[in-house]
Amino acid sequence: MKEPEETGQAAETASERLAWRCAAASDVGRVREQNEDAYWVDDDRGLFVVADGMGGHAAGEIASSLAVRAAADGLALLPDDPTRTQARDRVRRAIKDANTVILIEGRARPERSGMGTTATVLFVSPDGWFVIGHVGDSRAYLVRNGAVSRITEDHTYVQELVNQGRLSDEEARMHPRSSLLTRALGTTASVPIDIYDGSLRPGDRLLLTSDGLTTMVPEDLIIEILKRPSTPETLVGALIDAANAAGGADNTTAIVVEMSGAD
Ligand code: CA
């Protein structure tokens, strides 16, 4: 799924036009007082952002909302009908700009120093492809023909152990340091940003979610829910219910986008 910089010119011209339906929600959970997640949806333009903030004294909430706003501002500069390369560049730059905004805010106010956030940005094109930009441990999943794949790789300490073959995915999920990030916005001036792209077909679903879902709920159950023949609204509700049924120890945010053929 992770592809080199110049890809997919054929796919940009050959695909049928697609439409989509989406639903999004964020829930504080069963334990926390505040919701440090933030999300943003521009349904018309096919733009979706999830951010999960961290930092004391409400700084996490500020970091995630700054990230979402800065990313939205940056994505507003995306040209109409962008090429895949333009979309990749713009998504990357929007996340980079969000990083800068949070760094500046953290430096300007000592009580907010050390705040940070994840950011997962999705652009879907009616030409039948997507671009995702990603930093942190919020995740993107793709559902196609009843098969569910995780698109993004978590930037966490436990993911590094998984990559070294020292933990399974399920052991990583249950690990006491499962949320320890190795990359986040707002922590360094030059954060590496993962960019993914791929094709989309009618019937495909994409999920963006914060780790409040993926640390509370076994991936098998997330996959089972994502394959249900339900509307995006119902799926988002079922995912948040599953996180809360498992204890709701963290805030949970979910965005589901379902592709269809354009009329
Ligand atoms: Ca979280």
Side-chain angles (χ1 to χ4, degrees), residues 32 36-37 52-53 118 137-138 179 210-213 215 250-252:
R32 300 196 174 187
E36 298 190 325
D37 287 357
D52 174 357
T118 74
D137 68 348
S138 301
S179 296
S210 64
D211 74 331
L213 176 70
T215 57
D250 195 0
N251 316 131
T252 297

Side-chain angles (χ1 to χ4, degrees), residues 16 42 60 92 105-106 123 125 147 163 176 189 197-198 201 252:
E16 66 175 298
D42 184 338
R92 185 193 302 279
E105 180 70 14
F123 170 68
S125 165
N163 293 348
D197 64 18
R201 303 173 194 163
T252 297

Side-chain angles (χ1 to χ4, degrees), residues 54-57 59 102-103 105-116 186:
M54 61 194 182
H57 304 104
I102 298 161
L103 265 180
E105 180 70 14
R107 285 175 184 160
R109 299 179 189 228
E111 73 277 14
R112 293 181 186 169
S113 73
M115 70 177 173

